[in-house]
Coordinates of all heavy atoms in Angstrom, one line a residue:
F95 N -12.6 -7.6 13.8 CA -11.8 -7.7 12.5 C -11.5 -6.4 11.8 O -10.5 -6.1 11.3 CB -12.4 -8.8 11.7 CG -11.7 -9.0 10.4 CD1 -10.4 -9.5 10.2 CD2 -12.3 -8.7 9.1 CE1 -9.7 -9.7 9.1 CE2 -11.6 -8.9 7.9 CZ -10.3 -9.4 7.9
C99 N -8.2 -4.5 10.6 CA -8.0 -4.0 9.2 C -7.3 -2.6 9.3 O -6.4 -2.3 8.6 CB -9.3 -4.0 8.4 SG -10.0 -5.6 8.0
T132 N -6.6 -3.7 4.5 CA -5.3 -4.4 4.2 C -5.7 -5.6 3.4 O -6.6 -6.4 3.6 CB -4.6 -5.0 5.4 OG1 -3.8 -6.0 5.1 CG2 -5.6 -5.5 6.5
G133 N -5.0 -5.6 2.1 CA -5.2 -6.8 1.1 C -4.0 -7.7 1.1 O -3.7 -8.0 -0.1
L134 N -3.5 -8.0 2.3 CA -2.3 -8.8 2.2 C -2.3 -10.3 2.3 O -1.3 -11.0 2.4 CB -1.3 -8.2 3.3 CG -0.3 -7.2 2.8 CD1 -1.1 -6.0 2.1 CD2 0.6 -6.7 3.9
S135 N -3.6 -10.8 2.3 CA -3.6 -12.3 2.5 C -2.9 -13.0 1.3 O -2.1 -13.9 1.5 CB -5.1 -12.7 2.4 OG -5.8 -12.4 3.6
N136 N -3.0 -12.5 0.1 CA -2.4 -13.1 -1.0 C -0.9 -13.0 -0.9 O -0.2 -14.0 -1.1 CB -3.0 -12.4 -2.3 CG -2.1 -12.9 -3.5 OD1 -1.4 -12.0 -4.2 ND2 -2.1 -14.1 -3.8
K139 N 0.3 -15.5 1.7 CA 0.4 -16.8 1.2 C 1.5 -17.0 0.1 O 2.1 -18.1 0.1 CB -1.0 -17.1 0.6 CG -2.1 -17.3 1.5 CD -3.2 -18.2 0.9 CE -4.6 -17.5 1.1 NZ -5.5 -18.2 0.4
I144 N 2.4 -20.6 -1.0 CA 1.1 -21.3 -1.1 C 0.4 -21.0 -2.5 O -0.3 -21.8 -3.0 CB 0.3 -20.9 0.1 CG1 0.8 -21.6 1.4 CG2 -1.2 -21.6 0.0 CD1 0.2 -21.1 2.6
E145 N 0.6 -19.7 -2.9 CA 0.0 -19.2 -4.1 C 0.7 -18.2 -4.7 O 1.5 -17.5 -4.0 CB -1.6 -18.9 -3.9 CG -1.8 -17.8 -3.0 CD -3.3 -17.5 -2.8 OE1 -4.1 -18.4 -2.8 OE2 -3.7 -16.3 -2.6
R148 N -1.2 -12.3 -6.9 CA -2.3 -12.1 -8.0 C -2.3 -10.6 -8.5 O -3.0 -10.4 -9.5 CB -3.6 -12.4 -7.4 CG -3.7 -13.7 -6.7 CD -5.0 -14.4 -6.8 NE -5.1 -15.6 -6.1 CZ -4.8 -16.8 -6.6 NH1 -4.3 -16.9 -7.9 NH2 -4.8 -18.0 -6.0
P165 N -9.7 -11.3 -4.2 CA -11.2 -11.5 -4.1 C -11.7 -11.0 -2.8 O -13.0 -10.9 -2.8 CB -11.2 -13.1 -4.1 CG -9.8 -13.6 -3.7 CD -8.8 -12.4 -4.2
W166 N -11.0 -10.8 -1.7 CA -11.6 -10.4 -0.5 C -10.8 -9.3 0.2 O -9.7 -9.6 0.7 CB -11.6 -11.5 0.5 CG -12.4 -12.8 0.0 CD1 -13.8 -12.9 -0.1 CD2 -11.9 -14.0 -0.4 NE1 -14.1 -14.1 -0.5 CE2 -12.9 -14.9 -0.8 CE3 -10.5 -14.5 -0.5 CZ2 -12.8 -16.1 -1.2 CZ3 -10.4 -15.8 -1.0 CH2 -11.5 -16.6 -1.4
I167 N -11.3 -8.1 0.2 CA -10.7 -7.0 1.1 C -11.7 -6.3 1.9 O -12.7 -5.9 1.3 CB -9.8 -6.1 0.3 CG1 -8.8 -6.9 -0.6 CG2 -9.1 -5.1 1.2 CD1 -7.9 -6.0 -1.4
S168 N -11.5 -6.1 3.2 CA -12.7 -5.6 4.0 C -12.4 -4.2 4.5 O -11.3 -3.7 4.2 CB -12.7 -6.6 5.4 OG -12.8 -7.9 5.0
F206 N -21.5 -13.9 3.2 CA -20.7 -14.9 4.1 C -21.7 -15.4 5.1 O -22.7 -14.8 5.4 CB -19.6 -14.3 4.7 CG -18.6 -13.8 3.5 CD1 -18.5 -12.4 3.3 CD2 -17.7 -14.7 3.0 CE1 -17.6 -12.0 2.4 CE2 -16.8 -14.2 2.0 CZ -16.7 -12.9 1.7
G208 N -20.8 -15.5 8.2 CA -20.6 -14.6 9.3 C -19.7 -13.6 8.8 O -19.3 -13.6 7.6
L209 N -19.4 -12.5 9.6 CA -18.5 -11.4 9.1 C -19.0 -10.7 7.9 O -18.2 -10.2 7.1 CB -17.1 -12.0 8.9 CG -16.1 -12.3 10.0 CD1 -15.5 -11.0 10.6 CD2 -16.6 -13.1 11.2
T212 N -18.6 -6.7 7.3 CA -17.2 -6.1 7.2 C -16.9 -5.3 6.0 O -15.8 -4.9 5.7 CB -16.2 -7.3 7.3 OG1 -16.6 -8.3 6.5 CG2 -16.2 -7.8 8.8
T214 N -16.8 -6.2 2.8 CA -15.6 -7.0 2.1 C -15.9 -6.9 0.6 O -17.0 -7.3 0.3 CB -15.7 -8.4 2.7 OG1 -15.4 -8.3 4.1 CG2 -14.5 -9.3 2.1
F358 N -13.9 -18.1 11.4 CA -13.3 -17.1 10.6 C -11.9 -16.9 11.1 O -11.0 -16.7 10.4 CB -14.0 -15.8 10.8 CG -13.3 -14.7 10.0 CD1 -13.4 -14.6 8.7 CD2 -12.7 -13.6 10.7 CE1 -12.6 -13.5 8.0 CE2 -12.0 -12.6 10.1 CZ -12.0 -12.6 8.7
I361 N -9.8 -19.3 9.6 CA -9.5 -19.3 8.2 C -9.0 -18.0 7.6 O -8.4 -18.0 6.5 CB -10.8 -19.6 7.3 CG1 -11.9 -18.6 7.6 CG2 -11.3 -21.0 7.6 CD1 -13.0 -18.7 6.5
V362 N -9.0 -16.9 8.3 CA -8.5 -15.7 7.9 C -7.0 -15.9 7.8 O -6.3 -16.5 8.7 CB -8.9 -14.5 8.7 CG1 -8.2 -14.5 10.0 CG2 -8.5 -13.2 8.0
T363 N -6.3 -15.3 6.7 CA -4.9 -15.6 6.5 C -4.0 -14.9 7.5 O -4.4 -13.7 7.9 CB -4.5 -15.0 5.1 OG1 -5.2 -15.8 4.1 CG2 -3.0 -15.2 4.9
A365 N -4.3 -18.8 7.9 CA -5.3 -19.7 8.3 C -4.5 -20.7 9.2 O -3.4 -20.8 9.1 CB -5.9 -20.4 7.1
K367 N -4.5 -23.8 8.9 CA -3.8 -24.8 8.1 C -2.4 -24.3 7.6 O -1.5 -24.9 7.5 CB -4.7 -25.4 7.0 CG -5.1 -24.3 6.0 CD -6.1 -24.8 4.9 CE -6.7 -23.8 4.0 NZ -7.6 -24.3 3.0
Ligands
LIG401 C1 -15.2 -12.4 5.4 C2 -13.9 -12.3 4.9 C3 -13.1 -11.3 5.0 C4 -11.9 -11.2 4.4 N1 -11.1 -10.1 4.5 C5 -9.9 -10.0 4.0 C6 -9.1 -8.7 4.0 O1 -9.5 -7.7 4.4 N2 -7.9 -8.8 3.4 C7 -7.4 -9.9 2.8 O2 -6.3 -9.8 2.3 N3 -8.0 -11.0 2.8 C8 -9.3 -11.2 3.3 N4 -10.0 -12.3 3.4 C9 -9.3 -13.5 2.8 C10 -8.8 -14.6 3.8 O3 -7.8 -13.9 4.6 C11 -8.3 -15.8 3.2 O4 -7.2 -15.5 2.4 C12 -9.3 -16.4 2.3 O5 -10.3 -16.7 3.2 C13 -8.8 -17.6 1.6 O6 -8.0 -18.3 2.4 P1 -8.0 -20.0 2.3 O7 -7.2 -20.5 3.4 O8 -9.5 -20.5 2.2 O9 -7.3 -20.2 0.9 P2 -6.9 -21.6 0.3 O10 -7.5 -22.8 1.0 O11 -5.5 -21.5 0.0 O12 -7.6 -21.5 -1.1 C14 -8.8 -20.9 -1.4 C15 -8.7 -20.7 -2.9 O13 -9.9 -20.3 -3.5 C16 -9.6 -19.3 -4.5 N5 -10.6 -18.4 -4.6 C17 -10.4 -17.2 -5.2 N6 -11.5 -16.5 -5.2 C18 -12.5 -17.2 -4.6 C19 -13.8 -17.0 -4.3 N7 -14.4 -15.8 -4.6 N8 -14.5 -17.9 -3.7 C20 -13.9 -19.1 -3.4 N9 -12.7 -19.3 -3.6 C21 -11.9 -18.4 -4.2 C22 -8.3 -18.7 -4.1 O14 -7.7 -18.4 -5.1 C23 -7.6 -19.7 -3.3 O15 -6.6 -20.3 -4.0 C24 -11.3 -12.4 3.9 C25 -12.0 -13.6 3.9 C26 -13.3 -13.6 4.3 C27 -14.0 -14.8 4.3

Side-chain angles (χ1 to χ4, degrees):
F95 178 61
C99 294
T132 161
L134 263 57
S135 287
N136 170 242
K139 289 204 230 170
I144 294 172
E145 63 185 33
R148 304 214 186 276
W166 300 285
I167 304 183
S168 307
F206 299 104
L209 278 283
T212 49
T214 299
F358 177 75
I361 63 163
V362 69
T363 298
K367 60 185 179 179

